[in-house]
């Protein structure tokens, strides 16, 4: 929770994280003798977008190329999401990004299309771990892409 208000997260499966954050907030308030009706504690100041952006800027130069799973397909804003009329996040402004997609029939990453687009676009980094697909989903894709010098980043 980045605020002291109970919120619904965009991604499912975070129930344990929510429990840990609430416990951490409770303990921090107790540690400093603060009233929870008057004070709040933010226990994840560098989560999500800022943390991913820090990694990207360490590996990719300004306007360098990245690829990430498209937001409507299960990716994240920090993976370079943009629309036809607007760059949505700092990642899509600072870097040149190209999304990859899932196969509409199977709901799985379309690796053939990913390989083809990566060979043409030549990203420095492919963001390979996201909320909907883990790093293992890329085991078959990796060797082909590593051979053309692409780094996988597991978020």
């Amino acid at each position: 929770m980045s605020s002291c208000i109970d919120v619904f997260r965009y991604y499912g499966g975070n129930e344990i994280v929510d429990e840990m954050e609430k416990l951490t907030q409770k303990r921090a308030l107790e540690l400093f003798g603060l009233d929870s009706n008057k004070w709040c504690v933010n226990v994840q100041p560098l989560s999500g977008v800022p943390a991913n952006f820090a990694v990207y800027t360490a590996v990719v130069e300004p306007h360098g190329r990245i690829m990430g799973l498209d937001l409507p397909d299960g990716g994240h804003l920090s993976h370079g999401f943009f629309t036809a009329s607007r760059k949505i996040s700092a990642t899509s402004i600072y870097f040149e990004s190209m999304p990859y997609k899932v196969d509409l029939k199977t709901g799985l990453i379309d690796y053939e299309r990913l390989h083809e687009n990566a060979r043409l676009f030549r990203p420095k980094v492919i963001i390979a771990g996201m909320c909907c697909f883990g790093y293992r989903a890329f085991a078959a894709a990796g060797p082909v892409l590593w051979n053309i010098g692409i780094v996988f980043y597991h978020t």
Side-chain angles (χ1 to χ4, degrees), residues 68-110:
L69 184 64
D70 207 8
L71 183 65
D73 291 50
H76 189 266
L77 281 171
S78 68
H79 297 174
F81 181 69
F82 61 92
T83 67
S85 61
R86 184 170 166 217
K87 293 187 172 195
I88 303 298
S89 69
T91 306
S92 62
I93 293 168
Y94 195 77
F95 302 107
E96 301 302 320
S97 61
M98 180 179 193
Y100 56 90
K101 313 282 286 167
V102 297
D103 182 293
L104 294 176
K105 292 176 190 162
T106 66
L108 300 174
I109 294 168
D110 184 341

Side-chain angles (χ1 to χ4, degrees), residues 110-144:
D110 184 341
Y111 291 108
E112 286 185 29
R113 190 169 170 200
L114 172 61
H115 287 159
E116 182 181 323
N117 288 338
R119 284 189 190 106
L120 293 172
F121 188 63
R122 298 285 222 193
K124 178 114 183 220
V125 170
I126 293 179
I127 302 150
M130 59 291 302
C131 296
C132 296
F133 294 91
Y135 186 78
R136 289 182 185 176
F138 285 84
V144 174

